[in-house]
Amino acid sequence: MRSARPSPATAAEARLLLVEDDEVIRNTVRMLLERYGFTVSTAGDGLTGLEMFRETDPDLLLLDVMLPDLDGIGLCRRVRELSLAPILMMSARGDALDVVAGLEAGADDYVVKPCESAVLVARIRSLLRRVSFSPAAAGRTAGTGGRAGDGGRVDSAVLAFGDLTVDTRGMEVRRAGQVVALTPTELRMLLEFAGSPGVVLERRTLLSRVWDHAWHGDTRVVDLHVQRLRAKIGADRIETVRGFGYKLRR
């Protein structure tokens, strides 16, 4: 699996792949994003989108749920087998099943069509910032102090929680000594938990810190990413506190 590419320094350097079967919507969104400085490639069906993803290795994939040949959910799964690049799903209905299926397939976020241009661009920029999350900032997020093995630091860069270690400089997570492949969103979420072990983080707090959602964000995004994170670092490592949120066990 390819890691997410280093994030471009500016929008003009960001290469996006838009997969949308409706030609009018596809061209409208492409022109909108190009006005904001992005370089946009497009595809009209899932199989073409998959081939273009392999050929162009974009910084971010923007894809519709309903696609011919290979639907957006299937395409998302196929891309996740190849890469950790950010994926933003688009759903015409905002149907709960579409949202959940997309996030479970590996998408980082979703928007409901039609979507205001400012919201769409903000979501894309948020995902690109997540890829460029700096090790120095991660170290500040993780805090200081603690002892190895008791939910604290191993040194100034590595945090340990049982068999789980988080290297905030090298951006590497290991479980029982084995490297764990996390998407940028999953890594950001884990760093938030690691910065406050044993402290309950509300869903809205995680939504704000990890997704930068200052508008009406959907906390289902948080719940689905917690599930994905649990599957990778251990189901019992993140505890649900009913009615409040989640916390990382020391």
Side-chain angles (χ1 to χ4, degrees), residues 4-220:
R5 287 159 40 90
S7 181
T10 65
E13 298 176 8
R15 298 184 294 109
L16 313 183
L17 173 60
L18 167 65
V19 187
E20 164 64 63
D21 64 320
D22 187 300
E23 184 176 4
V24 173
I25 295 176
R26 186 169 66 246
N27 289 333
T28 300
V29 174
R30 175 183 56 79
M31 288 187 291
L32 163 70
L33 296 176
E34 287 177 343
R35 284 201 300 269
Y36 278 87
F38 297 106
T39 299
V40 185
S41 300
T42 63
D45 63 80
L47 290 178
T48 301
L50 179 61
E51 186 61 27
M52 289 187 66
F53 185 88
R54 288 169 170 160
E55 292 177 357
T56 63
D57 191 20
D59 297 298
L60 181 142
L61 176 64
L62 182 65
L63 60 91
D64 187 25
V65 172
M66 303 299 293
L67 293 171
D69 299 330
L70 176 66
D71 67 16
I73 307 301
L75 175 56
C76 186
R77 290 197 182 98
R78 296 284 291 275
V79 168
R80 273 290 165 260
E81 294 173 357
L82 303 170
S83 171
L84 297 175
I87 299 174
L88 180 62
M89 300 286 292
M90 299 185 297
S91 170
R93 298 172 297 172
D95 184 272
L97 293 178
D98 285 348
V99 173
V100 170
L103 295 172
E104 287 183 336
D108 295 276
D109 201 357
Y110 79 98
V111 293
V112 177
K113 300 186 297 185
C115 177
E116 292 184 13
S117 59
V119 172
L120 177 61
V121 172
R123 295 285 179 94
I124 291 172
R125 286 175 173 169
S126 174
L127 287 173
L128 292 173
R129 283 197 300 271
R130 224 166 294 163
V131 176
S132 64
F133 190 52
S134 71
R140 290 192 296 272
T141 299
T144 59
R147 297 183 303 276
D150 68 352
R153 279 185 177 275
V154 174
D155 58 30
S156 61
V158 181
L159 305 174
F161 306 92
D163 66 348
L164 182 72
T165 59
V166 183
D167 184 342
T168 62
R169 287 183 183 166
M171 289 290 143
E172 183 177 78
V173 176
R174 289 179 178 267
R175 182 184 178 193
Q178 299 298 312
V179 175
V180 180
L182 299 179
T183 67
T185 302
E186 291 164 353
L187 179 57
R188 282 290 298 265
M189 175 175 277
L190 179 56
L191 288 168
E192 289 296 336
F193 283 122
S196 305
V199 175
V200 178
L201 298 180
E202 296 182 352
R203 290 174 175 82
R204 290 289 176 186
T205 298
L206 289 168
L207 194 64
S208 174
R209 293 180 181 177
V210 178
W211 282 267
D212 299 335
H213 284 189
W215 49 89
H216 302 291
D218 190 334
T219 56
R220 285 177 297 184

Side-chain angles (χ1 to χ4, degrees), residues 216-237:
H216 302 291
D218 190 334
T219 56
R220 285 177 297 184
V221 175
V222 175
D223 296 333
L224 267 296
H225 275 79
V226 167
Q227 289 182 26
R228 283 164 47 182
L229 193 54
R230 281 172 169 161
K232 294 182 178 183
I233 68 172
D236 61 346
R237 183 56 60 191

